[in-house]
Amino acid sequence: DSGVTQTPKHLITATGQRVTLRCSPRSGDLSVYWYQQSLDQGLQFLIQYYNGEERAKGNILERFSAQQFPDLHSELNLSSLELGDSALYFCASSTDISYEQYFGPGTRLTVT
Amino acid sequence: TQLLEQSPQFLSIQEGENLTVYCNSSSVFSSLQWYRQEPGEGPVLLVTVVTGGEVKKLKRLTFQFGDARKDSSLHITAAQPGDTGLYLCAGSPIMEYGNKLVFGAGTILRVKS
């Protein structure tokens, strides 16, 4: 158990809908990262938050947004969903000074 | 774009054999991490290397970071069926703000008993 929690475990929704994925980092970790894993693209970095502020951005679609709250949990919002958004979405956390990122169990999103 | 090329993609070996997985790039990384991932689960961190030329051992696993911090290898001695899984290398690109990780495509290892 990495100490990073993610909910829900599975999510099935229709095209055009909007969903919210939630992540709680390890106790004491200030940085939260979101990654997408698909069969054809592998694990891709989406976005990083540090202590409530956006720190780094990857190839995150404009339809996707994230935020980190004062209690340090984070949410990833996916809107106008397309079939191609079906993937595993992982959250990871780290202390600011450590390179080591610890991953949560993931949310499997299926868009039908 | 920083790319990490991982090889081989698939490896099927007998119990007791040795193997090496390679991770190469033309880019320099501040650190390089190796993860193992089971189907439907999150990647589990095995090791982090940060110094060029660094070698770390974790029981039967040996990890090496290249002198120029552009490549890394994972060597498993006397592989066991419990080593079966997906192995991923991931690097933190130097000179980039934040600590994002760039992942290799992964090596699927199957150890047969």
Side-chain angles (χ1 to χ4, degrees), chain A residues 38-83:
Chain A
S38 60
L39 283 175
D40 57 341
Q41 299 254 339
L43 262 163
Q44 300 282 324
F45 169 73
L46 295 177
I47 197 164
Q48 177 194 0
Y49 276 81
Y50 171 73
N51 203 22
E53 299 290 326
E54 182 184 305
R55 175 165 272 197
K57 220 169 184 176
N59 294 327
I60 186 168
L61 299 171
E62 285 192 12
R63 301 184 286 109
F64 296 2
S65 65
Q67 55 185 327
Q68 186 179 26
F69 295 88
D71 67 353
L72 301 177
H73 91 271
S74 178
E75 292 181 356
L76 179 66
N77 300 295
L78 314 176
S79 62
S80 303
L81 285 168
E82 301 175 358
L83 295 177

Side-chain angles (χ1 to χ4, degrees), chain A residues 9 31 33 35 37 43-45 48 55-58 88 90 94-96 98-106 108, chain B residues 30-31 33 35 37 39-45 47-48 50 56 86 88 92 97-105:
Chain A
K9 180 74 173 171
S31 270
Y33 311 78
Y35 293 85
Q37 186 175 36
L43 262 163
Q44 300 282 324
F45 169 73
Q48 177 194 0
R55 175 165 272 197
K57 220 169 184 176
L88 272 165
F90 290 105
S94 73
T95 62
D96 183 44
S98 169
Y99 297 109
E100 299 181 338
Q101 295 183 25
Y102 294 87
F103 282 74
R108 181 176 292 280
Chain B
S30 303
S31 68
Q33 301 175 32
Y35 290 85
Q37 185 179 21
E41 298 180 9
V44 176
L45 181 64
V47 78
T48 299
V50 296
K56 278 192 175 178
L86 173 66
L88 295 159
S92 184
Y97 191 62
N99 291 337
K100 78 169 192 182
L101 290 177
V102 174
F103 278 83

Side-chain angles (χ1 to χ4, degrees), chain B residues 4-15:
Chain B
L4 269 172
E5 296 190 6
Q6 197 171 333
S7 62
Q9 283 185 298
F10 304 99
L11 203 48
S12 182
I13 61 172
Q14 290 293 133
E15 181 177 4

Side-chain angles (χ1 to χ4, degrees), chain B:
Chain B
T1 303
Q2 297 87 3
L3 293 175
L4 269 172
E5 296 190 6
Q6 197 171 333
S7 62
Q9 283 185 298
F10 304 99
L11 203 48
S12 182
I13 61 172
Q14 290 293 133
E15 181 177 4
E17 292 183 2
N18 301 331
L19 67 113
T20 302
V21 178
Y22 299 93
C23 194
N24 297 294
S25 177
S26 58
S27 300
V28 178
F29 294 92
S30 303
S31 68
L32 204 131
Q33 301 175 32
W34 286 90
Y35 290 85
R36 178 176 158 181
Q37 185 179 21
E38 300 297 329
E41 298 180 9
V44 176
L45 181 64
L46 297 175
V47 78
T48 299
V49 284
V50 296
T51 305
E54 183 176 3
V55 177
K56 278 192 175 178
K57 292 192 174 184
L58 185 66
K59 296 183 181 178
R60 294 177 293 101
L61 278 60
T62 301
F63 305 86
Q64 188 162 6
F65 200 12
D67 290 341
R69 292 187 292 163
K70 294 182 178 182
D71 56 88
S72 180
S73 64
L74 156 61
H75 182 79
I76 301 179
T77 303
Q80 299 176 1
D83 295 327
T84 294
L86 173 66
Y87 290 83
L88 295 159
C89 63
S92 184
I94 202 165
M95 301 299 290
E96 277 215 25
Y97 191 62
N99 291 337
K100 78 169 192 182
L101 290 177
V102 174
F103 278 83
T107 295
I108 298 173
L109 171 64
R110 180 187 172 200
V111 183
K112 296 175 283 187
S113 57

